[in-house]
Amino acid sequence: MGDYSELARNIQFDRSEHTVSSSDSGCLLIGVGRSAAVFKIAGEQKVIKVFFPGLEGVAAEEAHIYGLLSDSEFYPRLYDSGMNYLVIDFIEGKTFFQCLTAGIQIKKKYLDEVDEALGVARNAGLNPSDVHLRNIILKPDGHIMMIDLARFRQVKDHDQQWEDLKKVWRYYDHRYFPKKIPESLLNIAAFIYKKTWEPFLERRKAKS
């Protein structure tokens, strides 16, 4: 594939900005998130991530971060980027979220690899934030890969979310704890965490 910018230009969103209205025949839509749509590029082990209108700054930020981490085994390689898109490796596997809904056990060694990956990011001068179940992929070879890095350079105090997930894992690892969890239950837990627990932690830090 020569001109990835042409692919990006052919991808259009409707007025809702979160629905793809048209795309290139060389692209297969594989996911839509809060800020962008992701397409598998035909004939290549790469994806093109095209950001919604008005989020060009997020696109530039994420491309910069991927560029800093492209040499790490824990992050996809950046191949190209433009005003509203970036091209990175296509990663086969399941997110931690999908593992939980499918009953695939998340082992301690996977958590250790996430910690190692976050250490690589910090050594690159980044401040990893918003680390959650949907941006960690377990590959078929049993190793992890991290995606969606736009918030890895936030100027804020240490993000507690990943540490809290590891605390919950201690209960999950118990032999009697169910390893297959309904998607609806995970979504409710995430909502409560964002709306209740995180604000509580921020208020407590402000008082200390």
Side-chain angles (χ1 to χ4, degrees):
M1 174 63 66
D3 190 2
Y4 295 113
S5 63
E6 182 66 21
L7 289 182
R9 282 193 293 271
N10 289 337
I11 295 168
Q12 300 293 323
F13 302 99
D14 67 12
R15 292 180 180 180
S16 71
E17 297 185 354
H18 289 259
T19 303
V20 177
S21 59
S22 63
S23 62
D24 193 284
S25 59
C27 294
L28 174 66
L29 179 65
I30 59 175
V32 179
R34 291 177 295 181
S35 60
V38 180
F39 300 80
K40 171 75 167 57
I41 300 173
E44 301 188 40
Q45 287 299 103
K46 299 173 186 174
V47 298
I48 182 167
K49 183 173 183 178
V50 183
F51 291 77
F52 303 137
L55 296 181
E56 291 79 12
V58 179
E61 178 75 355
E62 189 159 323
H64 175 74
I65 293 169
Y66 273 115
L68 291 175
L69 299 173
S70 275
D71 290 334
S72 170
E73 61 184 309
F74 299 117
Y75 300 94
R77 180 173 296 277
L78 177 71
Y79 295 96
D80 189 25
S81 64
M83 184 177 68
N84 69 328
Y85 75 91
L86 53 87
V87 178
I88 57 175
D89 288 314
F90 169 69
I91 308 301
E92 294 188 31
K94 294 183 180 295
T95 65
F96 275 14
F97 187 95
Q98 292 169 327
C99 287
L100 290 176
T101 60
I104 299 171
Q105 186 171 2
I106 297 175
K107 302 177 182 178
K108 176 64 165 55
K109 66 177 183 178
Y110 305 153
L111 306 189
D112 293 340
E113 283 200 357
V114 174
D115 283 333
E116 188 177 349
L118 297 179
V120 169
R122 293 188 185 102
N123 288 338
L126 300 170
N127 183 26
S129 301
D130 198 34
V131 178
H132 53 74
L133 299 175
R134 284 187 168 92
N135 59 16
I136 306 167
I137 295 177
L138 177 61
K139 300 185 295 180
D141 65 3
H143 294 285
I144 68 98
M145 183 77 78
M146 303 196 67
I147 58 172
D148 296 337
L149 313 181
R151 297 189 181 185
F152 266 40
R153 212 165 59 159
Q154 287 194 146
V155 182
K156 59 180 290 187
D157 293 334
H158 176 65
D159 189 292
Q160 187 66 29
Q161 186 169 202
W162 173 242
E163 297 302 322
D164 288 337
L165 283 171
K166 288 195 295 183
K167 291 175 184 176
V168 173
W169 180 87
R170 297 171 190 170
Y171 299 97
Y172 163 86
D173 192 48
H174 194 280
R175 61 182 296 186
Y176 296 113
F177 195 97
K179 300 300 179 283
K180 187 174 183 178
I181 304 173
E183 181 176 346
S184 59
L185 186 58
L186 290 174
N187 286 331
I188 290 171
F191 178 83
I192 293 173
Y193 181 86
K194 283 293 185 182
K195 295 298 182 180
T196 304
W197 185 245
E198 270 195 344
F200 167 74
L201 292 177
E202 290 176 1
R203 290 195 299 269
R204 190 170 68 175
K205 285 181 181 179
K207 292 179 181 179
S208 63

